[in-house]
Amino acid sequence: VSKTAVSFAFNAPERLSAETAGRIRDVADSLGYRPNPLARMLTQSETMTLGVLTPQALGVMFANPFFAQFSGGVADAAAELGYELHFISPLHGSLGLAMVRTTVDGVVAIGLSAAHPEVGQIEAAGLPMVLVDSDDLSGRGSVVVDDEAGARAAAEHLLTLGHREILVLAVDGPASETAGPRARGVMERRLAAYRSALAGAGVVLEQDHVVACAATIDGGRAAFRGAWAAGVRPTGVLAMSDAMAIGAIRAARQHGLHVPEDLSVVGFDDIELAADLDPALTTVHQPIREKGVTAVRLLVSAISDGGGSKRVTLETRLVVRASTAAPGRRHDLPP
Amino acid sequence: VSKTAVSFAFNAPERLSAETAGRIRDVADSLGYRPNPLARMLTQSETMTLGVLTPQALGVMFANPFFAQFSGGVADAAAELGYELHFISPLHGSLGLAMVRTTVDGVVAIGLSAAHPEVGQIEAAGLPMVLVDSDDLSGRGSVVVDDEAGARAAAEHLLTLGHREILVLAVDGPASETAGPRARGVMERRLAAYRSALAGAGVVLEQDHVVACAATIDGGRAAFRGAWAAGVRPTGVLAMSDAMAIGAIRAARQHGLHVPEDLSVVGFDDIELAADLDPALTTVHQPIREKGVTAVRLLVSAISDGGGSKRVTLETRLVVRASTAAPGRRHDLPP
DNA sequence: GTGAAAGCGCTAACAG
DNA sequence: CTGTTAGCGCTTTCAC
């Protein structure tokens, strides 16, 4: 019984006499022997693992239901194609540090600007990668949604309802992530669309009417509270994620506001629970799971075919529910 | 410039002249050279990666907000301790198959019965492991919550309100998972506690008043719908997860029921959004994130110290919100 | 159908 | 302080 035989028994049973193969497997089993996957990976230089790259700690990522839903899509597509999943987030604050230690056959990067240093680094390492929610500067694969249309619809909805005093809640990564030259990421695109839609109705967004925060409930809450403390008194808020919208609603209630009577809020994402909230959230729908599935399919085809890097754009649409209404009684309320 | 020098330049710069080390790194950088992490892992037989083992496809796991929150805790603790995260779910239906291909330094298994075959397999492979939400048959590390107390409180709450006709929504994995001898997992523990609390008030759970489903919104919805179709007309439901509770509420509404007037429902988990739902969910709180953090800490200490396998039990408590009330008008409603 | 030999890219004792 | 040497555990031509 030589090494080769064992190797064949596991990887190419057809190249061995059925009897020998069986015997080897039996002995292996009874001995508790398993081929060491690491060694296998080393010789084959293939890990059958996909990386999911996130710009922030997974703890905050998972605090956004959008990310969980997206991950579900990624995971299902990966499993279907026989890949395992490895989550890569900044290690000691550095994504690069985390990448170096990681072995994957390809990477799905979510919410990472194409101008982010690590993106170039990964590309330089010759690792296939698809960018999700990020502008594609060079010829990489990428999947995005029609942010402009969604954001415009959201803004116009508020405008049509009669709102003029509008607060926008934008997403901001940690300082280190936003430093340096940036491509226009999702958030910039959405902001621009908000702006132009509002401008069409003669409404301009003041500096203090755009506040950045983490894409989580707590982020949204803190942001709304901060704006309110700064004297901003909106009748409508445009949040760039549902999680932030929920946070804003929580904060507004703490200030004695009723939604939607005193304050209308529209989110972005249409997470699974959006319709179950109180009030049911008016929001921009995007196909979250599909985004993940598409990203993985693109990535795997790039890995195997070495295939060309396509760019896929998915649709968005406004879903009007109960968190928006015409501005009613103004809030002459406690600070 | 020999191999050793390069190795040192990356792993032990202090053992090299500052000048040489710097020069090597520079050349490496300009050459785009990275030490191959795979080879490094092979020689060190250490991957600095933790596995998260799930009994079902990640797609359905992530459909449960509980899991996302738990993962957040796991991820943060892992990052803090310098570990990466690898999610392991059944591959082509087999967890064992997935495990064999995977290389991790340890495993956090969530919702996996200790009697599950893979658990023994991993143990036999000598891989450190901590079990979450699962009975610990042998001396492994494990973290659980006080399910009995939580479930009992939930049942007694309904009883106190005056409910007698109660439906319980239990969690069920895929058939293959539940087959074979099982330890009493979380769900069995909760069910037993429901039963005994109800029995204390003379209420017995009929066979058709306990229905199993996936721990997702859709699972809960389908389960409630099925029970209703089977003629069950509860005034209260005890769901073993918030996701299922939400699904039950959705289904109930489709049948024209109002919550809590016609139907009271109490969940389990107290996910972050529980209080934002319509109606705000009465549920059993458990420290979800902390569960993940604790599991990782236990695991890593087992990896490094080879430390003893502790068993940690965290507390639960009932949080009464708006989804429960005294049974009101009975539902003489359309089928 | 099966065995021998080379090497994947790195680390770690050991000399120089 | 630097280079030499020997594996880590597997896969894989290539003869037998």
Side-chain angles (χ1 to χ4, degrees):
Chain A
V1 276
S2 82
K3 294 160 148 217
T4 316
V6 179
S7 185
F8 280 159
F10 281 94
N11 305 312
E14 69 276 6
R15 300 187 54 182
L16 231 46
S17 76
E19 193 240 340
T20 313
R23 193 163 43 97
I24 292 181
R25 300 193 78 118
D26 283 352
V27 176
D29 261 20
S30 75
L31 237 52
Y33 170 85
R34 299 275 137 210
N36 179 333
L38 225 40
R40 159 180 252 270
M41 289 173 187
L42 182 59
T43 57
Q44 307 210 136
S45 58
E46 188 188 53
T47 63
M48 289 310 281
T49 296
L50 263 25
V52 176
L53 205 66
T54 64
Q56 297 179 44
L58 282 175
V60 353
M61 287 287 139
F62 278 125
N64 185 351
F66 163 85
F67 183 69
Q69 245 174 284
F70 172 79
S71 299
V74 168
D76 278 350
E80 190 182 312
L81 295 165
Y83 283 86
E84 311 249 333
L85 230 50
H86 194 107
F87 282 78
I88 310 168
S89 58
L91 192 62
H92 307 312
S94 158
L95 243 185
L97 212 62
M99 262 320 291
V100 169
R101 300 183 14 179
T102 301
T103 38
V104 293
D105 291 345
V107 165
V108 170
I110 169 90
L112 217 58
S113 161
H116 195 103
E118 266 67 31
V119 171
Q121 195 171 315
I122 294 170
E123 191 177 42
L127 216 51
M129 164 169 55
V130 4
L131 263 24
V132 176
D133 277 348
S134 175
D135 258 21
D136 189 13
L137 289 184
S138 64
R140 286 182 221 87
S142 64
V143 12
V144 293
V145 298
D146 191 346
D147 292 300
E148 282 84 357
R152 197 182 319 118
E156 281 168 358
H157 172 60
L158 246 34
L159 250 14
T160 303
L161 249 22
H163 295 273
R164 289 296 177 274
E165 198 68 26
I166 291 172
L167 173 69
V168 353
L169 265 31
V171 174
D172 191 21
S176 61
E177 303 298 333
T178 56
R182 297 190 68 188
R184 289 179 66 216
V186 228
M187 299 308 159
E188 282 86 350
R189 287 203 298 278
R190 293 180 190 171
L191 182 55
Y194 285 155
R195 275 223 158 84
S196 90
L198 294 178
V203 177
V204 312
L205 277 176
E206 304 294 341
Q207 179 80 20
D208 60 355
H209 281 57
V210 178
V211 1
C213 57
T216 61
I217 296 182
D218 282 342
R221 177 161 46 187
F224 186 90
R225 188 156 34 197
W228 187 270
V232 178
R233 292 292 180 276
T235 65
V237 357
L238 293 167
M240 289 196 193
S241 94
D242 285 351
M244 295 182 338
I246 294 164
I249 292 175
R250 281 194 190 171
R253 283 181 174 155
Q254 286 187 333
H255 287 300
L257 301 181
H258 290 252
V259 179
E261 296 85 350
D262 301 316
L263 183 76
S264 286
V265 359
V266 8
F268 207 112
D269 291 344
D270 195 20
I271 59 173
E272 194 177 9
L273 286 176
D276 299 292
L277 297 173
D278 174 30
L281 198 62
T282 293
T283 189
V284 177
H285 176 89
Q286 62 164 317
I288 306 178
R289 272 188 56 87
E290 196 182 340
K291 224 172 177 175
V293 171
T294 305
V296 168
R297 298 236 170 96
L298 239 49
L299 180 59
V300 170
S301 98
I303 291 174
S304 21
D305 307 277
S309 45
K310 287 175 215 142
R311 174 190 191 96
V312 175
T313 302
L314 304 172
E315 292 310 305
T316 55
R317 71 169 191 279
L318 181 69
V319 179
V320 177
R321 287 195 273 247
S323 66
T324 48
R329 46 185 163 114
R330 285 278 2 207
H331 27 259
D332 28 19
L333 295 151
Chain B
V1 276
S2 81
K3 293 161 149 218
T4 316
V6 178
S7 186
F8 280 159
F10 281 93
N11 305 312
E14 69 276 8
R15 301 187 52 182
L16 232 47
S17 76
E19 192 238 343
T20 314
R23 192 164 43 97
I24 292 180
R25 300 192 80 117
D26 283 352
V27 175
D29 262 19
S30 75
L31 238 51
Y33 168 84
R34 299 274 137 210
N36 179 333
L38 225 40
R40 157 180 253 270
M41 289 174 187
L42 182 59
T43 57
Q44 308 212 137
S45 59
E46 189 188 51
T47 63
M48 289 311 281
T49 295
L50 264 25
V52 176
L53 205 66
T54 65
Q56 298 179 44
L58 281 176
V60 353
M61 286 288 139
F62 279 125
N64 185 351
F66 164 85
F67 183 68
Q69 246 174 283
F70 172 79
S71 299
V74 168
D76 278 350
E80 189 182 311
L81 295 165
Y83 284 86
E84 312 249 331
L85 232 48
H86 193 108
F87 282 79
I88 311 169
S89 58
L91 192 62
H92 306 312
S94 157
L95 243 185
L97 212 64
M99 261 321 291
V100 169
R101 300 181 16 178
T102 300
T103 39
V104 294
D105 291 344
V107 165
V108 170
I110 169 93
L112 217 59
S113 161
H116 196 102
E118 266 67 32
V119 170
Q121 197 171 313
I122 293 170
E123 191 178 42
L127 216 49
M129 164 168 55
V130 5
L131 262 25
V132 177
D133 276 350
S134 175
D135 258 22
D136 189 14
L137 291 184
S138 65
R140 284 181 223 88
S142 65
V143 12
V144 295
V145 298
D146 191 346
D147 291 300
E148 282 85 356
R152 196 181 322 120
E156 282 168 358
H157 172 60
L158 245 36
L159 250 14
T160 303
L161 250 21
H163 295 273
R164 289 298 177 272
E165 198 69 26
I166 290 171
L167 173 69
V168 352
L169 266 30
V171 174
D172 192 21
S176 62
E177 303 298 334
T178 56
R182 297 191 67 189
R184 289 179 66 216
V186 228
M187 299 308 158
E188 282 86 351
R189 286 203 299 279
R190 291 181 191 171
L191 182 56
Y194 286 156
R195 275 222 158 86
S196 89
L198 293 178
V203 177
V204 312
L205 277 176
E206 303 293 341
Q207 180 78 21
D208 61 353
H209 281 57
V210 178
V211 2
C213 57
T216 61
I217 295 182
D218 283 342
R221 177 159 48 187
F224 186 90
R225 188 153 37 196
W228 187 270
V232 178
R233 293 293 180 276
T235 65
V237 357
L238 293 167
M240 290 197 192
S241 95
D242 286 350
M244 295 182 338
I246 294 165
I249 293 174
R250 280 195 191 170
R253 282 181 175 155
Q254 286 187 333
H255 288 301
L257 302 180
H258 291 252
V259 178
E261 296 86 351
D262 301 315
L263 184 76
S264 285
V265 359
V266 9
F268 207 113
D269 290 346
D270 195 21
I271 59 173
E272 194 176 10
L273 286 177
D276 298 293
L277 298 172
D278 177 28
L281 198 62
T282 293
T283 189
V284 176
H285 176 89
Q286 63 164 315
I288 307 180
R289 272 188 57 87
E290 195 182 342
K291 223 172 177 173
V293 171
T294 306
V296 168
R297 298 236 171 97
L298 240 48
L299 180 59
V300 170
S301 98
I303 292 174
S304 20
D305 306 276
S309 43
K310 286 177 217 143
R311 174 190 191 97
V312 175
T313 302
L314 304 173
E315 293 310 305
T316 56
R317 70 167 191 279
L318 180 70
V319 179
V320 177
R321 287 195 271 247
S323 66
T324 49
R329 45 183 163 114
R330 285 275 5 204
H331 28 258
D332 28 21
L333 294 150

